[in-house]
Amino acid sequence: MSTLHTVNKSPYERNAMTSCLGHVSAGDLVLLIEDGVLAARKGGSFAQALNAAKGACKIYVLAPDLAARGIGAGDVLEGVETVDYGGFVDLAASATRVCAWL
Amino acid sequence: MSTLHTVNKSPYERNAMTSCLGHVSAGDLVLLIEDGVLAARKGGSFAQALNAAKGACKIYVLAPDLAARGIGAGDVLEGVETVDYGGFVDLAASATRVCAWL
Amino acid sequence: MSDGQTKKKFFYLNRKAPYGTIYALESLEVVLIGAAFEQEVSLGFIDDGVFQLMNNQDAAGTGMKGFSKIYRALGDYEVRKLYVEKESLETRGLSVDDLMPITYEDEDEDYAEKPSIVVVDKAEMAKLIADQDVIMSF
Amino acid sequence: MSDGQTKKKFFYLNRKAPYGTIYALESLEVVLIGAAFEQEVSLGFIDDGVFQLMNNQDAAGTGMKGFSKIYRALGDYEVRKLYVEKESLETRGLSVDDLMPITYEDEDEDYAEKPSIVVVDKAEMAKLIADQDVIMSF
Amino acid sequence: MRFAIQINEGPYTHQASDTAYQFAKAALEKGHEIFRVFFYHDGVNNGTRYTVPPQDDRNLQKLWSELAEAHKLDLVVCIAAAQRRGILDANEAKRQGKDGDNIAPGFRISGLGQLIEAGIQADRLIVFGD
Amino acid sequence: MRFAIQINEGPYTHQASDTAYQFAKAALEKGHEIFRVFFYHDGVNNGTRYTVPPQDDRNLQKLWSELAEAHKLDLVVCIAAAQRRGILDANEAKRQGKDGDNIAPGFRISGLGQLIEAGIQADRLIVFGD
């Protein structure tokens, strides 16, 4: 009984990720896609918010969207797991529901 | 020699207004339009940022957009001047250039 | 699911201000159509979504079509649960008094008028999200 | 205006990340066409706009068309001033080393290769904005 | 598992349709079912056959049409959203007195009830948008 | 004074086209000139004659077409943006081998050079978008 939350917005531009992280339940999954992956870069000012969220829920990031934006695997925050589109499908299937933060 | 800056985004959702206010020059004009007018409501958490900006530049807000969103004239921050579309035209004509923060 | 296998909990998550974009209006259009399907329906208003419920909206000066009256009619469509987030209101300097009075008639209590808007805090909103079958985001 | 009455200062203000939306790509298309008009052209990269210049972009996995090579070719179009905001880089954990090397050949100095990217702070960016004739926002 | 997909933005301007397409393809490759793809808001603009993207770029309308044909996908364009945005099939064109239509192969125009039904029938609804 | 207007979003989804229209109308009423209105990005979707908005709503395409006729406005739809999004005039339809077109009266399709020229010729360029 968990929710997969998807975030497709840059946290620097919009409040979607911040709002998402404020509404997760313990055991939920958060997947950063599209411009949302920008949050997962090491050294960025939202690293702390993501690190804090890792206690309650698991954070994933979509690998092809990272690559498009020039963020290498070594530049992703520790503890954030990369998945491909198949992994996205698996996450959606494993959760009970999907909530998109647009 | 001044710039008219237009902001059409809610500051609660996006960083456009914050970014705009960080790039104004003394004597510039800032016009809040569309969802940007939400910043001008009394008691909101961006009131302080707008008040601080009033020292360097003049802040305007588009009246029809306030009305659409149910913000009455009495609920607009003090020192923020309301204009109609004709006033928008006048501001654009009086400034040297227009910079849209989209 | 409370009433048979086909009844699902539908949650409409509204996070955007009205008029600047069409999402609020087209979300309402889904709610109205969805009402005919006899599912368990509730609406959540978070972030700028709370502005959708502002009282005294008058879009005439913008040339756009106002649609705030539709919210008041939701009760007639058996849509009676409008959850509004407290923290979202407060950040924007709003209270429930700034919102439209939206009510429904409770047939179990002699059609007494009851408020459809329920203010909940962020933790309660998170629980609501975690309790849904289908979440439509706008 | 520095060189005759028809020459204007054009400034392309880029504030959005690439790929999530098309604004970065279609902004570049304007810059390329605009280069033929022999105006004074410069580009500003603020906020998420700095991500447009990230090195090693590879969009293949998304199915979208990568377009980062176009930035490197800007020098050939006499577009040589790419102002990148320092504070925007820092907030995102980036430095100029994370960006593409973009250069132009300076015909006044025996075609020496020179960097097109100039990192400026927010106050300098504000001055640049205040110095333009035409600002195109993306 | 049975997925339903909602797409809220048009092609190219936002990545939503690209991501939804990659998701749908991956789901089908894993043996899942796509009950329906519902195009809403500007998403209806995925369903015009008049697009001519640059030759070296992907053609999202064609990708959807081909995926639909290969897997018998149900691609539904919301009628109310389509009317506001100028997407017509032959029936709608006739009904509205328009002189032509632009719906792409494999797409059909229908009502919002199709979205609700997708929410009811599918195990998961995934929304892609701005 | 001579204004140029750039519109980056389609009708209805964003307010950009509404605001630009009200601005243009007010400018003309004040005796200013509108050198050109340039439709870019999803803004090209303002220029389809296939829209059928609800009868009690404004018809933005018609409003623009009528304003253009009344004031001899130059409404230019960017060709590159239009190709991606399925806006065609008769010439483009023929050139691309499409079986119809959807451009609205008073709009014309042309290149991005028209936007640069507008920036050069006008006293002020105002951008409306998302």
Side-chain angles (χ1 to χ4, degrees):
Chain A
M1 295 298 289
S2 66
T3 304
L4 170 64
H5 302 266
T6 61
V7 176
N8 72 333
K9 296 303 184 322
S10 163
Y12 301 103
E13 189 199 17
R14 307 220 206 175
N15 73 335
M17 190 189 84
T18 300
S19 192
C20 168
L21 296 182
H23 293 91
V24 291
S25 295
D28 278 356
L29 317 170
V30 175
L31 173 63
L32 307 173
I33 65 171
E34 303 180 356
D35 287 346
V37 305
L38 300 174
R41 195 182 186 283
K42 264 185 192 165
S45 61
F46 283 90
Q48 208 180 345
L50 278 175
N51 279 328
K54 284 190 298 195
C57 52
K58 197 136 179 33
I59 316 279
Y60 301 86
V61 60
L62 199 56
D65 280 326
L66 283 171
R69 289 154 186 84
I71 301 177
D75 287 328
V76 174
L77 277 177
E78 273 180 52
V80 173
E81 196 174 312
T82 57
V83 295
D84 60 9
Y85 292 105
F88 183 176
V89 171
D90 293 343
L91 290 173
S94 72
T96 313
R97 68 194 71 75
V98 183
C99 183
W101 296 82
L102 302 176
Chain B
M1 292 300 287
S2 66
T3 304
L4 170 65
H5 301 267
T6 61
V7 177
N8 72 332
K9 297 301 184 322
S10 162
Y12 302 102
E13 189 198 17
R14 309 221 204 174
N15 73 337
M17 190 189 84
T18 301
S19 193
C20 168
L21 296 182
H23 292 90
V24 291
S25 295
D28 279 357
L29 317 172
V30 175
L31 174 62
L32 307 173
I33 65 172
E34 302 179 357
D35 286 348
V37 305
L38 300 174
R41 195 182 185 283
K42 263 184 191 165
S45 60
F46 283 90
Q48 207 180 346
L50 278 177
N51 280 329
K54 283 189 298 193
C57 52
K58 195 135 181 35
I59 316 280
Y60 301 85
V61 61
L62 199 56
D65 279 328
L66 284 170
R69 290 154 185 84
I71 301 177
D75 287 330
V76 174
L77 278 176
E78 273 180 52
V80 173
E81 196 173 313
T82 57
V83 296
D84 59 9
Y85 292 106
F88 184 176
V89 171
D90 293 343
L91 290 173
S94 72
T96 313
R97 70 195 67 75
V98 183
C99 182
W101 296 83
L102 301 176
Chain C
M1 282 165 258
S2 61
D3 185 25
Q5 293 202 0
T6 54
K7 210 162 188 175
K8 281 189 170 182
K9 290 183 185 171
F10 274 69
F11 190 70
Y12 296 88
L13 177 52
N14 298 291
R15 293 184 48 250
K16 296 192 173 140
Y19 304 110
T21 53
I22 202 171
Y23 303 106
L25 169 59
E26 290 192 330
S27 167
L28 264 180
E29 292 182 350
V30 184
V31 172
L32 294 182
I33 298 287
F37 284 75
E38 300 197 346
Q39 306 293 306
E40 279 190 52
V41 172
S42 56
L43 280 59
F45 296 86
I46 306 182
D47 299 332
D48 282 345
V50 301
F51 283 117
Q52 295 181 22
L53 302 177
M54 288 288 280
N55 210 350
N56 303 317
Q57 296 175 34
D58 177 5
T62 65
M64 292 187 292
K65 190 177 78 165
F67 57 92
S68 58
K69 279 181 187 165
I70 305 176
Y71 294 98
R72 299 199 190 210
L74 286 176
D76 301 338
Y77 290 82
E78 311 263 323
V79 176
R80 302 169 166 192
K81 292 176 194 162
L82 278 61
Y83 297 104
V84 177
E85 188 169 280
K86 185 171 160 283
E87 288 85 345
S88 298
L89 287 172
E90 288 170 354
T91 300
R92 290 157 184 80
L94 303 175
S95 76
V96 73
D97 297 334
D98 293 304
L99 308 183
M100 291 180 264
I102 302 177
T103 57
Y104 70 95
E105 296 182 345
D106 190 341
E107 61 274 15
D108 294 339
E109 295 191 20
D110 203 19
Y111 297 92
E113 279 214 356
K114 295 193 172 176
S116 298
I117 290 180
V118 182
V119 177
V120 298
D121 68 19
K122 199 183 268 196
E124 291 169 304
M125 189 64 85
K127 272 188 201 154
L128 282 166
I129 292 171
D131 188 43
Q132 304 300 321
D133 294 308
V134 181
I135 300 172
M136 298 209 183
S137 305
F138 294 94
Chain D
M1 283 165 254
S2 61
D3 185 26
Q5 292 203 0
T6 55
K7 212 162 187 172
K8 280 189 171 184
K9 290 184 184 171
F10 273 69
F11 190 70
Y12 295 88
L13 177 54
N14 298 291
R15 293 184 48 249
K16 295 190 174 142
Y19 303 110
T21 53
I22 202 173
Y23 303 106
L25 169 58
E26 290 193 330
S27 168
L28 264 180
E29 293 182 349
V30 184
V31 173
L32 294 181
I33 298 287
F37 284 76
E38 302 199 342
Q39 306 294 307
E40 278 190 52
V41 172
S42 57
L43 278 60
F45 295 86
I46 306 183
D47 299 331
D48 282 344
V50 301
F51 283 117
Q52 295 180 22
L53 303 177
M54 289 287 281
N55 210 351
N56 302 315
Q57 296 176 34
D58 178 5
T62 64
M64 292 185 292
K65 191 177 78 165
F67 58 92
S68 58
K69 279 180 188 165
I70 305 176
Y71 294 99
R72 299 199 191 212
L74 286 177
D76 302 338
Y77 291 82
E78 312 263 322
V79 176
R80 304 170 163 190
K81 292 178 194 159
L82 277 61
Y83 295 104
V84 177
E85 187 169 281
K86 184 171 162 281
E87 289 86 346
S88 298
L89 287 172
E90 288 172 355
T91 300
R92 288 156 185 81
L94 303 175
S95 75
V96 72
D97 297 335
D98 294 304
L99 307 184
M100 292 181 263
I102 302 176
T103 57
Y104 70 95
E105 297 182 344
D106 189 341
E107 61 275 14
D108 295 336
E109 295 191 19
D110 203 20
Y111 296 92
E113 275 214 357
K114 295 195 172 174
S116 300
I117 291 180
V118 182
V119 178
V120 297
D121 67 19
K122 199 182 271 197
E124 291 169 304
M125 189 64 85
K127 271 187 203 155
L128 282 166
I129 291 171
D131 188 44
Q132 304 300 322
D133 294 307
V134 181
I135 300 172
M136 297 208 184
S137 305
F138 295 95
Chain E
M1 179 156 282
R2 190 187 256 188
F3 288 107
I5 290 174
Q6 180 183 336
I7 299 178
N8 292 343
E9 299 296 333
Y12 308 109
T13 308
H14 296 84
Q15 200 185 341
S17 181
D18 287 288
T19 308
Y21 173 79
Q22 301 294 342
F23 180 94
K25 205 156 65 94
L28 293 165
E29 281 164 8
K30 282 178 175 276
H32 295 296
E33 181 193 341
I34 306 280
F35 177 75
R36 179 168 293 151
V37 184
F38 192 86
F39 296 88
Y40 197 40
H41 304 303
D42 273 0
V44 300
N45 291 323
N46 285 281
T48 168
R49 69 174 181 275
Y50 283 0
T51 50
V52 193
Q55 296 208 342
D56 59 345
D57 203 349
R58 79 281 190 205
N59 185 324
L60 276 162
Q61 171 263 307
K62 278 215 172 116
L63 288 173
W64 280 116
S65 291
E66 287 164 9
L67 198 70
E69 189 169 14
H71 298 272
K72 301 199 199 323
L73 292 191
D74 188 18
L75 307 183
V76 178
V77 170
C78 170
I79 187 166
Q83 286 175 341
R84 282 195 182 95
R85 293 166 180 88
I87 305 297
L88 298 168
D89 62 10
N91 274 339
E92 267 292 291
K94 200 173 162 189
R95 208 165 67 89
Q96 306 289 353
K98 298 288 182 181
D99 60 337
D101 70 81
N102 55 355
I103 192 94
F107 290 80
R108 66 184 178 94
I109 292 182
S110 189
L112 278 166
Q114 301 276 312
L115 172 60
I116 306 293
E117 194 203 15
I120 294 171
Q121 296 297 329
D123 300 304
R124 302 282 182 281
L125 171 74
I126 328 272
V127 185
F128 296 91
D130 176 38
Chain F
M1 177 159 282
R2 191 187 254 187
F3 288 107
I5 291 174
Q6 180 183 339
I7 300 178
N8 290 344
E9 299 297 332
Y12 308 109
T13 307
H14 297 83
Q15 199 185 340
S17 181
D18 287 287
T19 308
Y21 173 78
Q22 300 294 344
F23 180 92
K25 206 157 63 92
L28 293 166
E29 281 165 10
K30 281 179 176 276
H32 295 297
E33 180 193 343
I34 307 280
F35 176 76
R36 180 170 291 149
V37 183
F38 191 86
F39 296 88
Y40 198 40
H41 304 305
D42 274 359
V44 301
N45 291 323
N46 285 282
T48 168
R49 68 173 181 276
Y50 283 1
T51 51
V52 194
Q55 298 209 339
D56 59 345
D57 203 350
R58 79 278 189 207
N59 184 326
L60 275 162
Q61 172 262 307
K62 278 215 173 118
L63 288 173
W64 280 115
S65 292
E66 287 163 8
L67 198 69
E69 190 171 12
H71 297 272
K72 301 199 196 329
L73 292 190
D74 188 20
L75 306 182
V76 178
V77 171
C78 170
I79 188 165
Q83 286 174 342
R84 282 195 182 94
R85 293 166 180 89
I87 305 297
L88 299 168
D89 62 11
N91 274 340
E92 267 293 289
K94 200 172 162 188
R95 206 165 69 89
Q96 305 289 354
K98 298 289 181 181
D99 60 339
D101 69 81
N102 56 353
I103 192 95
F107 291 79
R108 68 185 178 95
I109 293 183
S110 189
L112 278 166
Q114 302 276 312
L115 173 59
I116 306 294
E117 195 203 13
I120 294 171
Q121 296 297 331
D123 300 304
R124 303 281 182 283
L125 172 74
I126 327 272
V127 185
F128 296 90
D130 176 37

